[in-house]
Amino acid sequence: MKKILVTGGLGYIGSHTVVALQQAGYEVLIIDDCSNADKDFLDRITSITSIRPQYFSIDLKDQLKTNQFFENNPVDGVIHFAAYKAVGESVEKPLMYYRNNLMGLINLLEAMNENKVDHVIFSSSCTVYGQADQMPIDEQTPLKKPESPYGKTKQMGEEILEDYASTYQKNVICLRYFNPVGAHPSSKIGELPKGIPNNLVPYVTQTAAGIRECLSVWGDDYPTRDGTAIRDYIDVNDLADAHVKAITRLMEQKNKTNLEFFNLGTGTGSTVLEVVNAFEKANNLSVNYKIQPRRAGDIVEAFADNSFAKKELNWQPTISLEESLRNSWNWEQNLGQEK
Ligand SMILES: NC(=O)c1ccc[n+]([C@@H]2O[C@H](COP(=O)([O-])OP(=O)(O)OC[C@H]3O[C@@H](n4cnc5c(N)ncnc54)[C@H](O)[C@@H]3O)[C@@H](O)[C@H]2O)c1
């Protein structure tokens, strides 16, 4: 059984990927410092798969502990989710983001290199494209300077990995996610934002649950079909499946080059109001929202050309936006009942 280290495996996308990896027959080890996760996600994962992953409470900024992990735990590959991800916070605290997201990555890669672990998947983001000149965005679309320190850590992370792959002959896949949404159909795991949510869907579910009074829709004067911004919302379970396919590609040495990039989106853009309407329809309720002025740094639209991932990873998004939004709402309600 191949052993995969999942950093950030108690987080939103990480936990869904751990479940999918276990269900695909991988043995999973998790490193997470719980800076943005609850340790009870270990129990939640176990309750879905009946397999308890080995968990290590390590901060990847701690080089010594990261090295020791690899010395004591031989693994076949790594999926690296662990990072801070709040765009607004990164603008206020850029050094904290550079330290965590880049130091963590460098410590991880050094420890992997010293311990001869040759395969890594990196969580990148469509933020590396900025406001692209053409839609949909494929992997050849030129990268633009990101607006936020968070986005810069993703672009710099990719550059570090480019040098790492070529200098040390390692195999790297960068997965550029569009906008992850949804929750596990069991409602046992989902997104758990600490404080005010940064992303649209948790804000929608918290507003529907009465935790937030009103959803702010930032701008209705964009050049789009209803004036609100367009994003590509990809279900987190579909994302998890893409990670299983990507790590399997590396395990089976089916990668074409030692550094590959894949866009993970549905290929369809939805406006903010379309998401709100889809949520209302899917769950038969209404959400209180208010149009606000545009937010600085927001782009007009971004949606993926996912044909490369479809062809090379043999991957296909399978979950509709309505189904994702139903799962998100069920997860939110489940959380409310647990409190
Ligand atoms: N959710 C999104 O909208 C989105 C979009 C594009 C890319 N990404 C990237 O995907 C990855 C996972 O995102 P997510 O939404 O699951 O975020 P998340 O915050 O839920 O998960 C990240 C996990 O990493 C852990 N972590 C952070 N720093 C750490 C450190 N130094 N050492 C050990 N653990 C650490 C956190 O505790 C958390 O459990 C991140 O790299 C993120 O930047 C996310």
Side-chain angles (χ1 to χ4, degrees):
M1 199 187 254
K2 297 272 190 204
K3 288 188 183 184
I4 305 299
L5 166 66
V6 179
T7 76
L10 298 184
Y12 175 41
I13 309 170
S15 57
H16 289 78
T17 301
V18 169
V19 167
L21 285 167
Q22 290 184 324
Q23 289 174 336
Y26 286 101
E27 185 178 337
V28 177
L29 294 80
I30 294 175
I31 284 182
D32 201 302
D33 68 355
C34 285
S35 52
N36 195 37
D38 278 347
K39 210 178 149 211
D40 76 348
F41 265 57
L42 258 187
D43 299 330
R44 293 172 179 273
I45 290 167
T46 311
S47 75
I48 298 172
T49 62
S50 306
I51 308 165
R52 195 169 184 84
Q54 274 193 73
Y55 167 64
F56 300 81
S57 174
I58 296 173
D59 178 348
L60 292 173
K61 293 192 286 305
D62 187 329
Q63 190 173 18
L64 192 69
K65 285 202 181 137
T66 305
N67 273 333
Q68 279 168 352
F69 168 85
F70 281 94
E71 281 162 15
N72 298 329
N73 299 282
V75 294
D76 298 291
V78 177
I79 305 182
H80 179 48
F81 291 103
Y84 295 158
K85 63 164 180 177
V87 173
E89 186 184 51
S90 81
V91 175
E92 286 161 26
K93 300 175 183 167
L95 296 182
M96 187 174 105
Y97 271 69
Y98 291 126
R99 177 181 289 276
N100 194 57
N101 294 5
L102 299 180
M103 291 269 292
L105 174 65
I106 292 166
N107 286 343
L108 176 75
L109 297 179
E110 278 184 344
M112 285 175 59
N113 192 29
E114 275 167 31
N115 293 281
K116 309 208 168 3
V117 179
D118 294 340
H119 308 289
V120 62
I121 310 286
F122 176 64
S123 290
S124 191
S125 165
C126 66
T127 52
V128 299
Y129 297 112
Q131 178 58 74
D133 295 331
Q134 276 190 336
M135 292 296 137
I137 299 170
D138 67 18
E139 291 80 358
Q140 274 67 53
T141 300
L143 305 191
K144 289 197 176 158
K145 193 172 169 201
E147 295 274 346
S148 70
Y150 165 74
K152 288 180 192 163
T153 68
K154 291 295 167 196
Q155 226 177 61
M156 289 178 199
E158 289 191 356
E159 284 170 13
I160 290 168
L161 283 159
E162 188 182 337
D163 291 338
Y164 176 73
S166 67
T167 308
Y168 305 108
Q169 285 84 50
K170 303 291 185 188
N171 295 303
V172 177
I173 293 181
C174 295
L175 297 178
R176 293 173 175 158
Y177 319 148
F178 280 65
N179 293 69
V181 289
H184 195 266
S186 66
S187 302
K188 290 179 175 168
I189 54 173
E191 193 167 2
L192 197 64
K194 289 192 174 168
I196 299 171
N198 293 293
N199 293 336
L200 173 63
V201 172
Y203 215 111
V204 170
T205 59
Q206 290 194 0
T207 306
I211 302 168
R212 311 269 154 215
E213 213 168 285
C214 182
L215 167 76
S216 296
V217 175
W218 305 104
D220 68 346
D221 56 352
Y222 286 108
T224 63
R225 36 190 184 269
D226 62 21
T228 63
I230 290 179
R231 299 288 181 271
D232 184 339
Y233 296 91
I234 176 78
D235 189 88
V236 68
N237 300 287
D238 282 330
L239 276 185
D241 177 41
H243 286 78
V244 174
K245 295 206 153 97
I247 198 74
T248 303
R249 180 177 175 90
L250 295 186
M251 293 296 109
E252 294 176 350
Q253 295 172 17
K254 290 198 171 137
N255 46 322
K256 300 265 163 68
T257 56
N258 68 345
L259 174 67
E260 296 182 315
F261 300 90
F262 294 100
N263 285 347
L264 297 180
T266 63
T268 305
S270 304
T271 69
V272 177
L273 290 181
E274 283 166 354
V275 173
V276 173
N277 290 337
F279 179 86
E280 292 180 328
K281 194 165 153 236
N283 298 302
N284 200 19
L285 40 77
S286 69
V287 176
N288 192 16
Y289 72 85
K290 195 172 166 213
I291 305 291
Q292 303 274 15
R294 288 185 189 194
R295 216 169 30 175
D298 274 350
I299 57 171
V300 181
E301 64 174 346
F303 57 95
D305 177 337
N306 59 11
S307 46
F308 190 55
K310 279 183 172 164
K311 178 167 165 274
E312 287 295 325
L313 296 179
N314 194 22
W315 170 79
Q316 175 100 340
T318 57
I319 301 168
S320 69
L321 181 59
E322 282 73 15
E323 197 178 337
S324 297
L325 296 172
R326 219 172 293 128
N327 288 337
S328 292
W329 178 232
N330 290 341
W331 159 246
E332 181 73 54
Q333 286 178 299
N334 208 30
L335 271 181
Q337 280 162 11
E338 285 173 10
K339 278 174 192 158

